[in-house]
Amino acid sequence: MSPKDLPIYELETEFLASLRGEGRVVVQAPTGSGKSTQIPQILLRHGFLDGGEVVVLQPRRLAARMLAKRVAEEVGTQLGDIVGYQIRLESRVSRATRIRFVTEGILLRQMTFDPGLRGVNVLVFDEFHERHLYGDISLAKALKVQRESRPDLKIVVMSATLDAGALKDYLAPCATLVSKGRAHPVTIEYLPKAVSFEAEPVWEVAVRECERIADQSAGDMLVFMPGAYEISRTIQGIQGSRALRGFAALPLHGELPPEAQDLAVTRTNTRKIIVSTNVAETSLTIDGVTAVVDSGLARMARFDPERGINTLLVEKIAAASADQRAGRAGRTAPGICVRLWSEREHGQRALHELPEVKRLDLSEVVLTLKASGIEDLRAFTWFERPDPKGLDRAEALLRDLAALAGPTSSITEIGRRMLRFPVHPRYARMLLEAQERGSVRPVAMMAALTQGRNFLLRGVPRGVEEAREELLGEEHESDFFLLMRAWRYADRANYSLDACRRIGVHAQAARQVGPLFEQFLEVAKAEGLDISEKRVDGVAVRKCVLAGFPDHLAKRLESSTLRCDLVHGRRGLLARESAVGKATLLVAAEITEVGGRGGEVNVLLNIATSIEEPWLKELFPGELKDVREVTYDAEAKRVVARRDKRFRDLVLESKSGSDDVPSTEAAALLAKEVVAGRLSIDAWDESVEQWILRVNRMAEWFPEYEVNPIAPADRLTLIEQVVYGETSARGVKGRDVMPTLRDWLTAEQLAAMDQVVPERLTMGNGRKSRLTYSKEGPPVLSARIQELYGIEGRFTLGQGRVPVKIEVLAPNQRPLQVTDDLSSFWREIYPKIKPELSRRYPRHEWR
């Protein structure tokens, strides 16, 4: 079939018109429609690349390289001439290149260092439905460039399955084009019952199903596995199977050399079984495949809060990804797809994967955005906004690593140097430090060791512990050093299960460290770091760990306990099996939250490295400080002066005493405790509160006396004056109050106060009754009914200016009536209540 017979050409005319018009086009077309290979060629043939190039973004390196190779063959040019590619650590481009396939990180870095995208005429975002984080960010930045400085820039977004409505709204104005494609029917089969891959390895199940369906179709088979190790074991199983002798078993994954990748996708006369990672799920079309065996697993990038990094762990794929994989069997003829899980299990799978912006640590992207001048991340035009907590966490980590600084968290020179490394900022910071200290290889090994699960098993029998100590030796400086020796032992033993079991090593997990180590060495080498073998300097390596994990710094509370304080106000427990159990200061590369009884959460510190206090000043100058602080010690019930040595907010050393506490600071702290109700002054009783109310009402009712009211802030000041000179709760308790309060008023005001807002009021019968003042309303005079006999009329203060309410009390001091006119009370109310009162209280006088 000629490339021009592919379904995508049904959209060619409309596509070109839309690109010339709106300048933004969404192309929705299924896998196999030809969009990835033909859209760039359509742009080339119709003059869109005259004087410039198209940059085609691919989520995966293997797809970028293989698509470039395929397009170069169809165009009739050498790879690296008109058609080329750029991926991490590899580039095949020239001045003549007009079609350039790149991975997403390459474009985002280009935008950072060349914001105007000089020489780029068209940007194509392929497989956008996978919602990779860098793709989202690159699209947002591309729109910004197009709107602000490059209206001539064309943007094409392509996807197999996507909510085109949301994307169209985001890109508006834009055109949306849909190709139905040409797919043959695919029969989906499930296992009759669920299988545990712990009991029966996934590669054994896959080989068994390949044997079962080998004769059901005449084409090639495609088997999906999560990683290189599972692929290798599957191929071994196929090669050892009599039923599959007629097939050539070929691997396909990103770490293979290019010639091996090409071999897997090239048509041959021999039937093939291609065993691939999810790189074959989209982008790449492998002709001749009529059967798919799907493990349902993939390595997923996800933020791991225990390590504070993004990790790749094997997880179950979503239903949408399973549909993509099944579709590979119907590309050229009717096909079959066998899923290695039950139909019931399928119904429990997520429909779609969460976008990476929702599940990854954002620190690397935040650093890139800061480098390109975007200070306000919350105002950035995200396609899908991340959780604000995720942004806060990323910025906090970058500040901890000294990559951001200042009130707006601007990028620092260290941050710009870190940006050169296509790895998580923690490891970029560690590699920079390692170069300065001649420790690149061991630091690259440490980075590899933290990517997967800890392969050194915990809680092993005593015999395994003894064998481990005999073969690996003692360790007191870092759990990393023990892990390194354990990995070397497993590697020398070729990951033999018996050898690994002897010292409690998980062989499969240990096997995955080697390729990761090589990747980190490649990154370091590409950035010009010295990766040569050298004698390992333990102190230098430990300093590099501190540089990468300063936010995991912990201090043991006491030598007799494993409890630790950490930076950022956290508290945790050092793992009992840690080799650094005697260290006072340490850094934990892994912090795990473990649920306990009653909802309690225990924080465990794992993979620890001991450090020395002087290193903090050396690596983070200005962040190790001596702080003097006067505080109230609630336990000792007194004010103390503390002198702390702190790294950020972690107290490394503290001394306290009350001998040199400044009286002013002590008074302020004690007053706050009094106001909060945690301390009391015996003499500050209800009569004091009434005195304050009298002052405030006098200021309100009689402004001519120019009395300043006592506001809440003034109350705090007055209490400070009352307790001045004291440092303890006991001293505060016995302080006199009224002399200080009286000083609030002048002598004239004090004299007038007793006249216009008196504490007691003398009635016509000579009796004195107490007045009660409140924040609002008139004062209230309370008196027993017998004390009011013979008194008529109304009461007032200040020559009739302020009326007084009268609260008439029964003999038991309980209120009977509130009135402002006693005459009406005697006339209208008293006759009605007198009979009942006289019966209840016969011993009292009733007139």
Side-chain angles (χ1 to χ4, degrees), residues 237-250:
I238 293 169
Q239 291 171 338
S241 168
R242 290 188 176 186
L244 300 174
R245 279 183 178 175
F247 289 86
L250 299 170

Side-chain angles (χ1 to χ4, degrees), residues 523-535:
V523 168
K525 184 179 179 181
E527 294 303 324
L529 304 191
D530 180 4
I531 63 170
S532 61
E533 291 271 11
K534 296 180 181 178
R535 186 182 67 82

Side-chain angles (χ1 to χ4, degrees), residues 746-804:
T746 66
E748 293 78 8
Q749 290 171 335
L750 276 171
M753 181 180 179
D754 288 335
Q755 295 297 318
V756 297
V757 283
E759 186 178 357
R760 295 177 180 273
L761 192 65
T762 304
M763 297 180 290
N765 59 6
R767 292 179 180 273
K768 290 185 177 182
S769 295
R770 182 180 297 276
L771 290 170
T772 302
Y773 294 85
S774 56
K775 291 180 181 179
E776 296 179 354
V780 176
L781 182 150
S782 298
R784 289 186 297 113
I785 193 168
Q786 281 80 11
E787 295 171 343
L788 297 174
Y789 286 155
I791 301 174
E792 300 280 344
R794 302 171 183 268
F795 292 167
T796 61
L797 302 179
Q799 298 178 344
R801 194 185 301 183
V802 178
V804 174

Side-chain angles (χ1 to χ4, degrees), residues 108 110 260 270 307 354 366 393 421 463 528 556 710 792 822:
L108 193 53
Q110 180 180 347
T270 305
R307 299 170 181 85
L354 270 178
V366 166
R393 183 176 60 223
F421 296 86
R556 292 274 294 282
I710 300 175
E792 300 280 344
L822 277 176

Side-chain angles (χ1 to χ4, degrees), residues 285-567:
T285 296
I286 305 174
D287 292 333
V289 172
T290 56
V292 166
V293 175
D294 184 4
S295 68
L297 303 174
R299 291 198 180 279
M300 300 285 188
R302 197 175 298 276
F303 176 65
D304 183 347
E306 295 180 8
R307 299 170 181 85
I309 58 170
N310 294 324
T311 58
L312 281 170
L313 298 178
V314 175
E315 297 183 12
K316 294 178 180 178
I317 62 171
S321 295
D323 291 342
Q324 284 284 317
R325 292 180 176 188
R328 303 316 240 159
R331 172 74 180 84
T332 55
I336 182 173
C337 173
V338 179
R339 291 173 172 167
L340 304 186
W341 62 94
S342 68
E343 190 167 8
R344 180 179 179 182
E345 287 178 297
H346 186 74
Q348 297 168 348
R349 295 201 171 207
L351 294 178
H352 298 276
E353 285 296 339
L354 270 178
E356 284 189 347
V357 74
K358 296 288 189 182
R359 57 184 164 91
L360 287 188
D361 170 47
L362 302 172
S363 56
E364 196 173 349
V365 161
V366 166
L367 190 61
T368 305
L369 291 175
K370 292 284 185 177
S372 62
I374 295 172
E375 294 290 345
D376 188 353
L377 300 174
R378 285 140 192 87
F380 184 65
T381 53
W382 305 85
F383 176 48
E384 186 164 350
R385 291 193 171 277
D387 183 348
K389 290 181 180 178
L391 285 176
D392 292 342
R393 183 176 60 223
E395 285 195 81
L397 173 59
L398 292 170
R399 284 194 298 271
D400 283 336
L401 296 174
L404 301 180
T408 59
S409 294
S410 300
I411 191 167
T412 64
E413 181 55 34
I414 289 177
R416 292 190 185 280
R417 290 169 60 200
M418 288 165 59
L419 200 58
R420 292 164 33 208
F421 296 86
V423 296
H424 190 278
R426 283 195 192 278
Y427 304 116
R429 183 72 176 85
M430 287 173 69
L431 287 169
L432 283 174
E433 198 67 34
Q435 175 68 5
E436 297 294 321
R437 302 181 184 278
S439 304
V440 174
R441 288 189 76 87
V443 165
M445 169 56 72
M446 286 181 167
L449 289 168
T450 57
Q451 300 304 300
R453 293 186 174 92
N454 191 341
F455 59 78
L456 204 57
L457 302 177
R458 298 168 183 164
V460 294
R462 179 63 185 163
V464 173
E465 281 186 5
E466 291 172 352
R468 185 181 288 177
E469 189 170 322
E470 178 186 345
L471 289 166
L472 305 182
E474 289 189 8
E475 179 56 50
H476 303 292
E477 292 184 338
S478 177
D479 293 327
F480 272 122
F481 295 161
L482 194 65
L483 283 171
M484 287 177 176
R485 295 200 288 272
W487 177 78
R488 289 194 185 98
Y489 167 85
D491 188 55
R492 285 194 298 267
N494 199 27
Y495 307 100
S496 157
L497 290 178
D498 288 338
C500 289
R501 195 178 293 120
R502 182 182 178 191
I503 63 167
V505 164
H506 190 291
Q508 186 175 340
R511 185 189 296 274
Q512 295 167 1
V513 173
L516 290 167
F517 178 39
E518 293 300 325
Q519 285 182 24
F520 276 104
L521 286 178
E522 286 179 18
V523 168
K525 184 179 179 181
E527 294 303 324
L529 304 191
D530 180 4
I531 63 170
S532 61
E533 291 271 11
K534 296 180 181 178
R535 186 182 67 82
V536 175
D537 180 346
V539 168
V541 174
R542 286 152 63 200
K543 288 180 180 179
C544 295
V545 177
L546 172 60
F549 290 89
D551 56 321
H552 287 189
L553 178 67
K555 177 186 178 293
R556 292 274 294 282
L557 294 179
E558 302 99 15
S559 59
S560 60
T561 178
L562 296 174
R563 292 184 302 130
C564 301
D565 278 342
L566 291 95
V567 291

Side-chain angles (χ1 to χ4, degrees), residues 132-147:
H132 286 247
L133 179 55
Y134 277 108
D136 281 15
I137 301 298
S138 299
L139 178 58
K141 293 201 70 174
L143 283 174
K144 188 173 187 292
V145 170
Q146 188 190 55
R147 286 168 177 152

Side-chain angles (χ1 to χ4, degrees), residues 230-308:
E230 293 85 359
I231 288 174
S232 173
R233 294 302 301 266
T234 306
I235 287 178
Q236 289 177 23
I238 293 169
Q239 291 171 338
S241 168
R242 290 188 176 186
L244 300 174
R245 279 183 178 175
F247 289 86
L250 299 170
L252 183 60
H253 57 81
E255 304 309 319
L256 288 172
E259 54 272 18
Q261 296 172 351
D262 295 342
L263 186 62
V265 300
T266 302
R267 290 296 295 266
T268 63
N269 293 328
T270 305
R271 289 182 73 188
K272 296 182 299 184
I273 300 179
I274 301 111
V275 189
S276 174
T277 59
N278 57 0
V279 70
E281 188 176 305
T282 56
S283 299
L284 290 176
T285 296
I286 305 174
D287 292 333
V289 172
T290 56
V292 166
V293 175
D294 184 4
S295 68
L297 303 174
R299 291 198 180 279
M300 300 285 188
R302 197 175 298 276
F303 176 65
D304 183 347
E306 295 180 8
R307 299 170 181 85

